Amino acid sequence: MSNTAWETLSDQAIAVSGIVYFLALLAHLIEWSALRGTVPVEVAAATASTRASASAGSVAVATGPADDTSSGTAGSRQRVALFGRLGLLLTMIAAVVHLTSLVGRGMAADPNRVPWGNMYEFTISGTFVVTLMYLVLYRRFALAWMAPIVVAFVLSMLMVAVIWLHSEVTPLTEALNSYWLVIHVVSAVIATGAFSLGGITSAMWLIKNRKGDITTGPLARVPSLATLDRVSYRIHAFGFPVWTFAVLITGPIWAHEAWSSYWNWDPKEVWAFITWVVYAAYLHARSTAGWKGKNAAILALVGLATLWFNFIGINFFSTTSQHSYAESAPAIVQPAETTAQGLPGR
């Protein structure tokens, strides 16, 4: 295949993945709408257990929602299960097509390269990792409740990438043409995916805490506050050392190789360090001061805000970042004419 054919395949694949993500979102929304007025199976089981007869010698008889075997309730639960499985399957298919787009993007370059040469490529790569991490952690942390949120987030970011960030495939600039690109960006993307999932969990903690104990409808499917708090902590605890490796180890090494300086107080570097400080404070406060619940959730969301501002916001509000590169493979460009566009990672 020619480079043009690979690029066309990549563009078509990202469009198809967007359509499949949209279908997955519809399936999950139908799934959640079917939960209205019904009690999820796990909640019903817990309710039945608590309502069982407490007499020492009596036979335990479950009462309440667990006894509801009406055709309407049974049909609703069947729809929930059906559309839940359908949404998960569509998300898996979308992830495979999404990966195909990334491969096509890298193969379209001459010479072939990793698909991390500009903001468009980093965005579609980052969203793929968010989806991948969600699928990997789906069973381990029982993340079925997170499905529509993750799919909607990924779909929204893909729309932003296609509409506003899309650019033609070009060779890597000299600063990017380094094996440290792979090491640095892979670690940064993994950490970004983990922090995004952790931030979603923290946001849901705040929502559920505000709404109170709900036993029916979609929110009843969300785990307990204690479980959300624990899952959020575990995901952030995984992401933090990976982010540390990206920002404080591989980033400075790559900077020294590209610019002969380990640290340049570049806006991207500064905001990446601010993100590191916020998440370090989050983990430190949890382990030493016993911060849990609301305070921890708010601090986690502050960290997520700094993370995504560093990723996208700096590109629009800073014109002095050394993390910039031309959108086309250029000839010689005068410094004043260089188009600033944020480099992924630090």
Side-chain angles (χ1 to χ4, degrees):
M1 291 179 64
S2 65
N3 292 341
T4 302
W6 278 113
E7 184 173 1
T8 300
L9 172 65
S10 176
D11 291 342
Q12 292 175 344
I14 207 66
V16 172
S17 70
I19 294 173
V20 181
Y21 277 126
F22 178 71
L23 294 176
L25 179 60
L26 286 181
H28 285 303
L29 291 178
I30 295 173
E31 174 195 8
W32 276 45
S33 66
L35 285 169
R36 292 184 176 275
T38 66
V39 180
V41 174
E42 58 271 21
V43 176
T47 304
S49 176
T50 59
R51 292 184 180 181
S53 174
S55 296
S58 63
V59 178
V61 179
T63 61
D67 288 334
D68 188 354
T69 57
S70 65
S71 59
T73 301
S76 294
R77 289 180 179 169
Q78 288 177 356
R79 285 195 298 274
V80 168
L82 173 63
F83 283 101
R85 290 193 296 268
L86 177 61
L88 179 62
L89 176 62
L90 288 171
T91 303
M92 291 178 177
I93 294 173
V96 173
V97 181
H98 197 159
L99 178 61
T100 302
S101 174
L102 294 176
V103 174
R105 190 79 182 181
M107 295 296 293
D110 188 17
N112 300 150
R113 58 172 176 79
V114 291
W116 304 323
N118 50 54
M119 282 301 301
Y120 169 75
E121 294 175 5
F122 187 70
T123 301
I124 63 176
S125 298
T127 49
F128 170 74
V129 171
V130 171
T131 303
L132 180 63
M133 292 197 67
Y134 163 72
L135 294 174
V136 169
L137 300 177
Y138 179 84
R139 292 192 181 278
R140 179 176 178 81
F141 293 120
L143 299 181
W145 61 269
M146 192 186 287
I149 304 172
V150 171
V151 175
F153 171 77
V154 171
L155 181 60
S156 299
M157 293 304 298
L158 286 182
M159 290 176 63
V160 170
V162 171
I163 296 173
W164 287 293
L165 301 177
H166 186 272
S167 59
E168 302 297 326
V169 177
T170 59
L172 293 176
T173 61
E174 184 177 354
L176 293 174
N177 192 18
S178 168
Y179 61 86
W180 285 107
L181 169 69
V182 179
I183 301 173
H184 173 67
V185 175
V186 163
S187 53
V189 168
I190 292 174
T192 299
F195 288 151
S196 297
L197 293 181
I200 291 173
T201 307
S202 296
M204 190 56 67
W205 189 100
L206 293 174
I207 293 173
K208 187 158 187 175
N209 181 61
R210 183 178 181 84
K211 294 292 185 179
D213 187 18
I214 297 177
T215 58
T216 60
L219 277 181
R221 197 179 194 191
V222 177
S224 66
L225 293 177
T227 300
L228 288 173
D229 188 65
R230 183 173 63 254
V231 169
S232 177
Y233 172 72
R234 289 180 178 178
I235 294 177
H236 283 103
F238 163 77
F240 181 73
V242 181
W243 183 252
T244 302
F245 178 72
V247 171
L248 301 183
I249 299 177
T250 62
I253 292 174
W254 186 15
H256 185 268
E257 180 181 285
W259 304 316
S260 301
S261 175
Y262 288 105
W263 192 265
N264 300 281
W265 295 105
D266 182 86
K268 281 269 186 182
E269 294 174 340
V270 172
W271 275 95
F273 183 69
I274 290 173
T275 300
W276 183 88
V277 169
V278 174
Y279 282 120
Y282 167 84
L283 295 175
H284 179 73
R286 287 198 59 124
S287 60
T288 60
W291 274 29
K292 292 184 178 181
K294 184 176 181 179
N295 290 336
I298 291 175
L299 191 55
L301 290 178
V302 171
L304 185 64
T306 63
L307 175 74
W308 282 97
F309 178 78
N310 177 49
F311 172 44
I312 295 179
I314 290 296
N315 304 320
F316 296 98
F317 294 103
S318 174
T319 59
T320 61
S321 176
Q322 287 179 290
H323 290 67
S324 61
Y325 38 85
E327 293 186 0
S328 57
I332 301 174
V333 182
Q334 296 299 324
E337 298 174 349
T338 300
T339 301
Q341 188 177 17
L343 189 74
R346 292 174 278 119

